[in-house]
């Protein structure tokens, strides 16, 4: 089976950036048994003179998806929880709703993965085949990064819907 990492496409240079993500949503709480510690609705204020390009997937500060991508995720994980996030740009009088998916963390990261010296970023992702769950989408356990993986069928479903700003990178399996 083939698997793909879902990330924000770096070609979208005007994607929203918000500075206070860490203060408002602690990454440690983005698991089902701790999600109650995250507010049901969180507002992030955007700034800058440029008009933000509200793409379907944001993964730089937090892993956030639009309503349509959320619906695609639910096709593969019907019980997946989400927290609502509002990105507002007061100067431009714009707002976009995103959703923070609350995935179980799966320990399937291989020792063959290539990481930065401080192990904060996975440069080349390798998964252990025996530990991969039988789910269309899952999150790889990592202390610093949010790594969301799609099985081939889920990746194809995402590609068919022509989402903007979604990048799929094929993952090696050992």
């Amino acid at each position: 089976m083939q698997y793909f990492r879902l990330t924000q496409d770096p070609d979208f240079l005007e994607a929203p950036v918000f500075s206070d993500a860490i203060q408002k949503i602690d990454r440690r709480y983005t698991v089902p048994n701790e999600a109650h510690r995250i507010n049901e609705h969180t507002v992030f204020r955007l700034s800058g003179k440029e008009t933000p390009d509200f793409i379907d997937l944001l993964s730089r500060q937090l892993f956030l998806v639009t309503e349509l991508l959320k619906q695609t995720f639910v096709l593969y994980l019907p019980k997946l929880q989400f927290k609502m996030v509002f990105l507002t740009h007061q100067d431009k009088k714009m707002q976009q709703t995103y959703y923070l998916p609350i995935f179980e963390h799966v320990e399937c990261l291989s020792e063959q993965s290539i990481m930065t010296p401080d192990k904060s970023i996975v440069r080349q992702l390798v998964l252990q085949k025996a530990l991969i769950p039988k789910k269309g989408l899952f999150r790889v356990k990592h202390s610093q990064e949010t790594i969301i993986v799609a099985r081939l069928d889920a990746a194809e479903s995402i590609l068919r819907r022509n989402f903007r700003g979604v990048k799929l990178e094929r993952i090696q399996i050992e």
Side-chain angles (χ1 to χ4, degrees):
M1 184 58 68
Q2 295 177 28
Y3 293 89
F4 299 84
R5 182 176 182 174
L6 278 103
T7 59
Q8 178 179 330
D9 188 339
D11 291 344
F12 288 85
L13 301 174
E14 300 303 325
V17 176
F18 41 97
S19 59
D20 53 351
I22 296 169
Q23 290 84 10
K24 290 190 176 184
I25 298 178
D26 190 327
R27 288 174 174 263
R28 295 176 297 172
Y29 302 149
T30 60
V31 292
N33 60 342
E34 296 289 336
H36 65 278
R37 296 176 184 241
I38 301 172
N39 292 332
E40 289 299 317
H41 303 92
T42 305
V43 177
F44 290 104
R45 302 205 189 294
L46 305 174
S47 60
K49 295 186 181 353
E50 298 298 319
T51 301
D53 187 1
F54 292 112
I55 55 179
D56 290 298
L57 172 69
L58 300 175
S59 66
R60 288 190 181 133
Q61 293 100 338
L62 292 169
F63 190 90
L64 301 174
V65 297
T66 57
E67 175 68 31
L68 292 173
L69 192 49
K70 173 191 169 198
Q71 291 172 9
T72 306
F73 281 18
V74 171
L75 293 174
Y76 294 91
L77 296 170
K79 295 181 181 178
L80 185 62
Q81 298 176 46
F82 294 88
K83 299 290 182 168
M84 195 175 285
V85 174
F86 299 101
L87 301 184
T88 62
H89 195 301
Q90 288 182 298
D91 296 342
K92 301 285 183 183
K93 297 189 179 357
M94 301 173 79
Q95 177 174 300
Q96 177 68 36
T97 304
Y98 281 91
Y99 297 89
L100 172 68
I102 308 296
F103 284 97
E104 289 282 347
H105 293 202
V106 178
E107 290 195 46
C108 60
L109 190 64
S110 169
E111 293 292 323
Q112 294 178 10
S113 296
I114 298 171
M115 298 190 198
T116 57
D118 65 354
K119 298 191 185 281
S120 64
I121 298 173
V122 179
R123 298 233 184 260
Q124 184 178 351
L125 183 62
V126 180
L127 300 180
Q128 297 178 47
K129 184 176 184 176
L131 301 177
I132 295 174
K134 298 191 183 319
K135 297 179 180 179
L137 295 161
F138 60 93
R139 180 174 174 176
V140 175
K141 185 173 184 177
H142 188 269
S143 61
Q144 302 290 319
E145 259 188 305
T146 303
I147 302 170
I148 306 298
V149 175
R151 194 175 55 207
L152 178 62
D153 56 329
E156 288 174 339
S157 183
I158 290 167
L159 287 173
R160 275 195 303 274
R161 287 171 174 76
N162 292 323
F163 290 114
R164 293 181 63 247
V166 177
K167 182 179 178 185
L168 294 164
E169 298 176 41
R170 191 171 181 171
I171 299 171
Q172 284 184 266
I173 308 295
E174 70 167 16

